[in-house]
Coordinates of all heavy atoms in Angstrom, one line a residue:
R315 N 14.0 4.8 13.0 CA 14.7 5.8 12.2 C 14.9 5.5 10.8 O 15.5 4.4 10.5 CB 15.9 6.3 12.8 CG 15.8 6.9 14.3 CD 17.1 7.5 14.8 NE 18.0 6.3 15.0 CZ 18.1 5.7 16.1 NH1 17.3 6.0 17.0 NH2 19.1 4.7 16.2
P316 N 14.7 6.2 9.8 CA 14.9 5.8 8.4 C 16.3 5.9 7.9 O 17.1 6.7 8.3 CB 14.1 6.9 7.6 CG 14.0 8.1 8.5 CD 14.0 7.6 9.9
V317 N 16.8 4.7 7.3 CA 18.1 4.6 6.8 C 18.1 4.1 5.4 O 17.3 3.1 5.2 CB 18.9 3.6 7.8 CG1 20.3 3.6 7.1 CG2 19.1 4.2 9.1
F318 N 18.9 4.7 4.5 CA 19.0 4.2 3.2 C 20.5 3.8 2.8 O 21.3 4.6 3.0 CB 18.4 5.2 2.1 CG 17.0 5.2 2.0 CD1 16.2 5.8 2.9 CD2 16.3 4.5 1.0 CE1 14.7 5.9 2.9 CE2 15.0 4.4 0.9 CZ 14.2 5.1 1.9
E319 N 20.7 2.7 2.3 CA 22.1 2.2 1.8 C 22.0 1.9 0.4 O 20.9 1.4 0.0 CB 22.5 1.1 2.8 CG 22.7 1.5 4.2 CD 23.2 0.3 5.0 OE1 23.3 -0.9 4.6 OE2 23.7 0.5 6.3
I320 N 23.1 2.1 -0.4 CA 23.1 1.8 -1.7 C 24.2 0.8 -2.0 O 25.3 1.2 -1.7 CB 23.3 3.0 -2.6 CG1 22.0 4.0 -2.4 CG2 23.4 2.7 -4.1 CD1 22.1 5.3 -3.1
C321 N 24.0 -0.4 -2.5 CA 25.0 -1.4 -2.7 C 25.2 -1.6 -4.2 O 24.3 -1.6 -5.0 CB 24.5 -2.7 -2.1 SG 23.9 -2.7 -0.4
T322 N 26.5 -1.6 -4.6 CA 26.8 -1.7 -5.9 C 27.6 -3.0 -6.2 O 28.7 -3.3 -5.6 CB 27.7 -0.5 -6.4 OG1 27.0 0.7 -6.1 CG2 27.9 -0.6 -7.9
P323 N 27.2 -3.9 -7.0 CA 27.8 -5.3 -7.3 C 29.0 -5.1 -8.2 O 28.8 -4.4 -9.3 CB 26.8 -6.2 -7.8 CG 25.8 -5.2 -8.4 CD 25.8 -4.0 -7.6
F324 N 30.1 -5.6 -7.9 CA 31.3 -5.8 -8.8 C 31.5 -7.3 -9.0 O 31.0 -8.1 -8.2 CB 32.4 -5.0 -8.2 CG 32.1 -3.5 -8.1 CD1 31.8 -3.0 -6.9 CD2 32.1 -2.8 -9.2 CE1 31.6 -1.6 -6.8 CE2 32.0 -1.4 -9.2 CZ 31.6 -0.8 -7.9
P325 N 32.4 -7.6 -9.9 CA 32.7 -9.0 -10.2 C 33.1 -9.8 -9.0 O 32.8 -11.0 -8.8 CB 33.7 -9.0 -11.2 CG 33.5 -7.7 -11.9 CD 33.1 -6.8 -10.9
T326 N 33.8 -9.2 -8.1 CA 34.5 -10.0 -6.9 C 34.0 -9.4 -5.5 O 34.2 -10.0 -4.4 CB 36.0 -10.0 -6.9 OG1 36.4 -8.6 -6.9 CG2 36.5 -10.6 -8.1
T327 N 33.3 -8.2 -5.5 CA 32.8 -7.7 -4.2 C 31.7 -6.8 -4.4 O 31.2 -6.6 -5.6 CB 33.9 -6.9 -3.5 OG1 33.6 -6.5 -2.2 CG2 34.3 -5.7 -4.4
W328 N 31.2 -6.2 -3.4 CA 30.1 -5.3 -3.4 C 30.4 -4.0 -2.8 O 31.0 -4.0 -1.6 CB 28.8 -5.8 -2.8 CG 28.1 -6.8 -3.5 CD1 28.5 -8.1 -3.8 CD2 26.7 -6.9 -4.0 NE1 27.6 -8.9 -4.5 CE2 26.5 -8.1 -4.6 CE3 25.7 -5.9 -4.1 CZ2 25.3 -8.5 -5.2 CZ3 24.5 -6.2 -4.7 CH2 24.3 -7.5 -5.2
G329 N 30.2 -2.8 -3.4 CA 30.5 -1.6 -2.7 C 29.2 -1.1 -1.9 O 28.0 -1.6 -2.2
R330 N 29.3 -0.3 -1.0 CA 28.2 0.3 -0.1 C 28.4 1.7 0.2 O 29.5 2.1 0.6 CB 28.1 -0.6 1.1 CG 27.0 -0.3 2.0 CD 26.9 -1.2 3.1 NE 26.7 -2.7 2.8 CZ 25.7 -3.3 2.6 NH1 24.5 -2.7 3.0 NH2 25.5 -4.5 2.3
E331 N 27.3 2.5 0.1 CA 27.4 3.9 0.6 C 26.1 4.1 1.2 O 25.0 3.5 1.0 CB 27.6 4.9 -0.5 CG 26.8 4.6 -1.8 CD 27.3 5.5 -2.9 OE1 27.8 6.6 -2.7 OE2 27.0 5.1 -4.1
Q332 N 26.0 5.2 2.0 CA 24.8 5.6 2.8 C 24.2 6.9 2.3 O 25.0 7.8 2.0 CB 25.0 5.6 4.3 CG 23.8 5.6 5.1 CD 24.0 5.3 6.5 OE1 24.5 4.2 6.9 NE2 23.5 6.1 7.4
L333 N 22.9 7.0 2.2 CA 22.2 8.2 1.9 C 22.1 9.1 3.1 O 21.6 8.6 4.1 CB 20.8 7.8 1.2 CG 20.0 9.1 0.7 CD1 20.6 9.7 -0.4 CD2 18.8 8.5 0.2
S334 N 22.7 10.2 3.0 CA 22.7 11.0 4.2 C 21.7 12.1 4.1 O 20.7 12.0 3.3 CB 24.2 11.8 4.2 OG 24.3 12.5 3.0
M335 N 21.7 13.0 5.1 CA 20.7 14.1 5.3 C 19.3 13.7 5.4 O 18.3 14.1 4.8 CB 20.7 15.0 3.9 CG 22.0 15.7 3.7 SD 22.2 16.8 2.4 CE 20.7 16.8 1.5
L336 N 19.1 12.7 6.3 CA 17.8 12.0 6.6 C 17.3 12.5 8.0 O 18.3 12.5 8.8 CB 17.8 10.5 6.4 CG 18.1 10.0 5.1 CD1 18.0 8.5 5.1 CD2 17.2 10.5 4.0
P337 N 16.1 12.6 8.2 CA 15.8 13.0 9.6 C 15.7 11.8 10.6 O 15.8 10.6 10.1 CB 14.3 13.4 9.4 CG 13.8 12.6 8.2 CD 15.0 12.6 7.3
D338 N 15.9 12.1 11.9 CA 15.8 11.1 12.9 C 14.5 10.5 13.1 O 14.4 9.4 13.5 CB 16.3 11.7 14.3 CG 17.8 12.1 14.2 OD1 18.5 11.4 13.4 OD2 18.2 12.9 15.0
M339 N 13.5 11.2 12.9 CA 12.0 10.7 13.1 C 11.2 11.2 12.0 O 11.4 12.4 11.6 CB 11.5 11.1 14.4 CG 10.2 10.5 14.7 SD 9.4 11.2 16.2 CE 10.5 10.6 17.4
G340 N 10.4 10.4 11.4 CA 9.6 10.8 10.3 C 9.6 9.8 9.2 O 9.8 8.5 9.4
L341 N 9.2 10.2 8.0 CA 9.1 9.2 6.9 C 9.9 9.7 5.7 O 9.9 10.8 5.3 CB 7.6 9.3 6.4 CG 7.2 8.5 5.2 CD1 7.5 7.1 5.4 CD2 5.7 8.6 4.9
V342 N 10.7 8.7 5.2 CA 11.5 8.9 3.9 C 11.2 7.9 3.0 O 11.3 6.6 3.4 CB 13.0 8.9 4.3 CG1 13.7 9.1 2.9 CG2 13.3 10.0 5.3
N343 N 10.7 8.2 1.8 CA 10.6 7.1 0.8 C 11.4 7.5 -0.4 O 11.8 8.7 -0.6 CB 9.1 7.1 0.2 CG 8.2 6.4 1.1 OD1 8.5 5.5 1.8 ND2 6.9 6.9 1.3
A344 N 12.1 6.6 -1.1 CA 12.8 6.8 -2.3 C 12.5 5.8 -3.3 O 12.1 4.7 -3.0 CB 14.3 6.6 -1.8
W345 N 12.5 6.2 -4.6 CA 12.0 5.3 -5.7 C 12.7 5.8 -6.9 O 13.1 7.0 -7.1 CB 10.6 5.2 -5.8 CG 9.8 6.6 -6.1 CD1 9.6 6.9 -7.4 CD2 9.4 7.5 -5.3 NE1 8.9 8.2 -7.3 CE2 8.9 8.6 -6.0 CE3 9.5 7.7 -3.8 CZ2 8.4 9.7 -5.3 CZ3 9.1 8.9 -3.3 CH2 8.5 9.9 -4.1
P346 N 12.8 4.9 -8.0 CA 13.4 5.4 -9.2 C 12.6 6.4 -9.9 O 11.3 6.3 -9.9 CB 13.4 4.1 -10.1 CG 13.3 3.0 -9.1 CD 12.4 3.5 -7.9
L347 N 13.1 7.4 -10.4 CA 12.4 8.4 -11.3 C 11.7 7.7 -12.6 O 10.6 8.1 -13.0 CB 13.3 9.5 -11.7 CG 12.7 10.6 -12.8 CD1 11.4 11.2 -12.1 CD2 13.7 11.6 -13.1
D348 N 12.4 6.7 -13.1 CA 11.9 6.2 -14.5 C 11.0 5.0 -14.2 O 11.1 4.2 -13.3 CB 13.1 5.6 -15.2 CG 14.1 6.8 -15.7 OD1 13.8 7.3 -16.7 OD2 15.1 6.9 -15.0
R349 N 10.0 5.0 -15.0 CA 8.9 3.9 -14.9 C 9.4 2.5 -15.1 O 9.1 1.6 -14.5 CB 7.8 4.2 -15.9 CG 7.0 5.4 -15.7 CD 5.8 5.5 -16.6 NE 4.9 4.5 -16.4 CZ 3.8 4.5 -15.7 NH1 3.6 5.7 -14.9 NH2 3.1 3.5 -15.6
D350 N 10.4 2.4 -16.2 CA 10.8 1.0 -16.6 C 12.4 1.0 -16.2 O 13.1 2.0 -16.7 CB 10.7 0.7 -18.0 CG 10.9 -0.7 -18.4 OD1 12.2 -0.9 -18.5 OD2 10.1 -1.4 -18.5
P351 N 12.9 0.1 -15.5 CA 14.4 0.0 -15.2 C 15.3 0.1 -16.3 O 16.4 0.6 -16.2 CB 14.4 -1.3 -14.4 CG 13.1 -1.6 -13.9 CD 12.1 -1.0 -14.9
S352 N 14.8 -0.4 -17.6 CA 15.6 -0.4 -18.7 C 15.9 1.1 -19.3 O 16.9 1.3 -20.0 CB 15.0 -1.2 -19.9 OG 13.8 -0.6 -20.3
E353 N 15.1 2.0 -18.9 CA 15.3 3.4 -19.3 C 16.0 4.2 -18.3 O 16.3 5.5 -18.4 CB 13.9 4.0 -19.5 CG 13.1 3.4 -20.7 CD 11.9 4.2 -21.1 OE1 11.1 4.3 -20.2 OE2 11.7 4.4 -22.3
S354 N 16.4 3.7 -17.1 CA 16.9 4.5 -16.0 C 18.4 4.8 -16.1 O 19.2 4.0 -16.6 CB 16.7 3.7 -14.6 OG 17.3 4.4 -13.6
N355 N 18.7 6.0 -15.8 CA 20.2 6.4 -15.6 C 20.6 6.4 -14.2 O 21.8 7.0 -13.9 CB 20.4 7.9 -16.3 CG 19.6 8.9 -15.6 OD1 18.9 8.7 -14.8 ND2 19.9 10.1 -16.1
G356 N 19.7 5.9 -13.3 CA 20.2 6.0 -11.8 C 19.5 7.0 -11.1 O 19.6 7.2 -9.9
D357 N 18.7 8.0 -11.7 CA 18.1 9.1 -11.0 C 17.0 8.5 -10.0 O 16.2 7.6 -10.4 CB 17.4 10.1 -11.9 CG 18.3 10.8 -12.7 OD1 19.5 10.7 -12.5 OD2 18.0 11.5 -13.6
L358 N 17.0 9.1 -8.8 CA 16.0 8.8 -7.8 C 15.1 9.9 -7.4 O 15.6 11.1 -7.4 CB 16.7 8.1 -6.5 CG 17.6 6.9 -6.6 CD1 18.3 6.6 -5.3 CD2 16.9 5.8 -7.2
L359 N 14.0 9.7 -7.0 CA 13.2 10.6 -6.3 C 13.1 10.2 -4.8 O 13.1 9.0 -4.5 CB 11.7 10.7 -6.9 CG 11.6 11.4 -8.2 CD1 10.2 11.2 -8.7 CD2 12.1 12.7 -8.3
A360 N 13.1 11.2 -3.9 CA 12.8 10.9 -2.5 C 11.9 11.9 -1.8 O 11.9 13.1 -2.3 CB 14.3 11.1 -1.7
K361 N 11.1 11.3 -1.0 CA 10.1 12.2 -0.3 C 10.4 12.1 1.1 O 10.5 11.1 1.8 CB 8.6 11.8 -0.6 CG 7.6 12.7 0.1 CD 6.2 12.4 -0.3 CE 5.7 11.3 0.5 NZ 4.1 11.1 0.3
I362 N 10.5 13.3 1.8 CA 10.9 13.5 3.2 C 9.9 14.3 3.9 O 9.4 15.4 3.6 CB 12.2 14.1 3.4 CG1 13.3 13.2 2.7 CG2 12.6 14.2 4.9 CD1 14.7 14.0 2.7
E363 N 9.3 13.8 5.1 CA 8.2 14.5 5.8 C 8.3 13.9 7.3 O 8.9 12.9 7.6 CB 6.9 14.3 5.1 CG 6.6 12.8 5.1 CD 5.3 12.7 4.3 OE1 4.2 13.2 4.6 OE2 5.3 11.6 3.3
D364 N 7.5 14.6 8.1 CA 7.2 14.0 9.5 C 5.8 14.7 9.8 O 5.2 15.5 9.1 CB 8.3 14.4 10.5 CG 8.5 15.8 10.7 OD1 7.5 16.6 10.9 OD2 9.6 16.3 11.0
P365 N 5.4 14.3 11.1 CA 3.9 14.7 11.4 C 3.7 16.3 11.4 O 2.6 16.7 11.2 CB 3.7 14.1 12.7 CG 4.5 12.9 12.7 CD 5.7 13.3 11.9
L366 N 4.9 17.0 11.4 CA 4.6 18.5 11.5 C 5.3 19.2 10.3 O 5.3 20.4 10.3 CB 5.2 19.1 12.8 CG 4.5 18.5 14.1 CD1 5.1 19.1 15.3 CD2 2.9 18.9 14.1
T367 N 6.0 18.4 9.5 CA 6.7 19.0 8.4 C 6.2 18.5 7.1 O 6.3 17.4 6.8 CB 8.2 18.7 8.5 OG1 8.8 19.1 9.8 CG2 9.0 19.5 7.5
P368 N 5.7 19.3 6.2 CA 5.2 18.9 5.0 C 6.2 18.3 4.0 O 7.4 18.6 4.2 CB 4.5 20.2 4.4 CG 5.2 21.3 4.9 CD 5.6 20.9 6.4
P369 N 5.8 17.5 3.1 CA 6.8 16.8 2.3 C 7.7 17.7 1.4 O 7.2 18.6 1.0 CB 5.9 15.8 1.4 CG 4.7 15.8 2.1 CD 4.4 17.1 2.9
L370 N 8.9 17.2 1.3 CA 9.9 17.7 0.4 C 9.9 16.6 -0.8 O 10.2 15.4 -0.5 CB 11.2 18.0 0.9 CG 11.4 19.1 1.8 CD1 12.8 19.2 2.5 CD2 11.2 20.5 1.0

Side-chain angles (χ1 to χ4, degrees):
R315 293 187 299 271
V317 177
F318 279 83
E319 295 181 350
I320 299 180
C321 308
T322 306
F324 297 104
T326 58
T327 187
W328 288 62
R330 185 178 297 268
E331 54 189 327
Q332 188 162 313
L333 185 59
S334 58
M335 300 184 357
L336 300 182
D338 289 334
M339 183 183 299
L341 172 60
V342 180
N343 281 327
W345 64 95
L347 172 59
D348 296 277
R349 295 184 63 90
D350 193 281
S352 65
E353 295 186 306
S354 176
N355 65 351
D357 290 352
L358 300 177
L359 291 175
K361 184 172 81 164
I362 300 174
E363 61 189 304
D364 67 40
L366 299 179
T367 308
L370 286 175

